[in-house]
């Protein structure tokens, strides 16, 4: 059984630990001894904490070059991870928060020295779905899409809840309206083979209430604004 050490015990690191612990020998690292005995090390720290964490790794591991490293740090390149850790076997991965319930999406990219991709897929599949991409540019795009994506949906749900309160519903009922609309829509989407666009059309009757809402969004350039917001997220990924 592969031994996995996770450096970083925040929300993502803790969620990864919970997802992996029934299938792998995994530890959240608070002692150097746990890092030394690991076959695979996961960096689940913030990009700004990478410098310190990489020094801890070099100080604890006798032969860093033989260690496979999986990084979930946004914007930290394969080349920089290789330089700072001494390992050539690097996987950059971008999971998202739904991994906490086994429904995440993790995009990943590996250096050529990573030969055991089957194990990498097995690890990342513990979080939900996984997809291998062909470039770091695509990984930056995924960060802005699925990495930040859950927050976009939560924000829209929050706005729906706020509007329900403005219409006179109580806090509790407004939350139920917004939450169940979101949950029900996602379940419907997951259960059928229709595209999001097709389901949108199924809800939108010509001249009806939904059409009125979309007409307003169109006149106020909502689609353009939203796509520009995602581009801003992708740009920020390069700046980190």
């Amino acid at each position: 059984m592969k031994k996995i050490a996770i450096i970083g015990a925040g929300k993502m690191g803790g969620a990864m630990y919970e997802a992996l612990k029934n299938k792998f020998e995994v530890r959240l690292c608070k002692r150097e001894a746990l890092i030394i005995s690991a076959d695979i090390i996961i960096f689940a720290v913030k990009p700004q904490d990478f410098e310190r964490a990489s020094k801890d790794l070099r100080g604890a591991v006798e032969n860093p070059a033989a260690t496979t490293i999986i990084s979930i740090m946004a914007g930290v390149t394969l080349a920089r991870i290789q330089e700072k850790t001494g390992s050539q076997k690097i996987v950059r991965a971008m999971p998202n928060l739904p991994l906490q319930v086994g429904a995440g999406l993790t995009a990943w990219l590996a250096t050529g020295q990573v030969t055991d991709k089957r194990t990498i897929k097995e690890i990342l599949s513990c979080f939900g779905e996984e997809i291998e991409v062909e470039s770091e540019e695509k990984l930056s795009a995924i960060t802005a899409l699925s990495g930040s994506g859950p927050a976009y949906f939560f924000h829209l749900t929050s706005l729906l809840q706020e509007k329900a309160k403005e219409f006179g519903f109580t806090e509790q009922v407004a939350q139920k309206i917004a939450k169940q609309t979101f949950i029900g829509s996602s379940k419907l989407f997951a259960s059928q083979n229709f595209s999001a666009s097709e389901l949108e059309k199924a809800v939108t009757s010509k001249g009806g209430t939904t059409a009125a809402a979309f007409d307003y969004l169109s006149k106020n350039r909502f689609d353009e604004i939203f796509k520009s917001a995602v581009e801003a997220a992708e740009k920020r990924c390069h700046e980190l």
Side-chain angles (χ1 to χ4, degrees), residues 155-168 174 178:
H155 182 67
L156 186 59
T157 305
S158 179
L159 292 178
L160 198 64
Q161 180 177 336
E162 288 178 19
K163 199 61 193 177
K165 288 167 60 180
E166 290 177 15
F167 281 152

Side-chain angles (χ1 to χ4, degrees), residues 29-151:
C29 290
K30 295 181 180 179
R31 301 193 312 274
E32 288 186 351
L34 296 177
I35 304 177
I36 293 171
S37 63
D39 302 302
I40 297 170
I41 297 173
I42 299 177
F43 273 85
V45 299
K46 295 178 181 179
Q48 54 268 36
D49 295 330
F50 173 55
E51 195 80 22
R52 174 193 54 78
S54 63
K55 288 180 180 177
D56 291 344
L57 173 66
R58 279 183 175 272
V61 178
E62 185 175 341
N63 184 15
T67 305
T68 298
I69 292 175
I70 299 175
S71 163
I72 67 166
M73 300 177 291
V76 183
T77 65
L78 293 170
R80 187 179 174 208
I81 298 169
Q82 288 177 320
E83 176 192 355
K84 294 296 182 181
T85 63
S87 173
Q88 297 300 303
K89 298 160 65 176
I90 310 294
V91 177
R92 277 192 64 191
M94 179 45 60
N96 61 4
L97 196 59
L99 73 83
Q100 292 182 343
V101 292
L105 174 65
T106 304
W108 61 280
L109 173 69
T111 58
Q113 291 86 348
V114 178
T115 56
D116 186 8
K117 289 188 175 182
R118 185 185 64 82
T119 296
I120 301 302
K121 291 183 177 184
E122 190 177 4
I123 291 170
L124 300 181
S125 292
C126 290
F127 312 145
E129 298 291 330
E130 55 82 22
I131 54 173
E132 184 179 5
V133 297
E134 65 272 18
S135 68
E136 292 193 274
E137 288 73 20
K138 284 285 181 24
L139 205 59
S140 295
I142 285 285
T143 303
L145 294 166
S146 65
S148 299

Side-chain angles (χ1 to χ4, degrees), residues 9-28:
K11 287 183 179 179
M12 295 300 280
M16 294 172 89
Y17 169 77
E18 291 296 327
L20 293 169
K21 68 179 184 180
N22 292 326
K23 199 166 186 177
F24 296 93
E25 185 177 336
V26 58
R27 295 288 186 272
L28 283 171

Side-chain angles (χ1 to χ4, degrees), residues 92 182 227:
R92 277 192 64 191
F182 179 43
K227 288 178 180 178

Side-chain angles (χ1 to χ4, degrees), residues 75 232 234-240:
E234 194 271 345
K235 179 182 179 182
R236 179 58 179 158
C237 185
H238 290 289
E239 295 171 348
L240 290 173

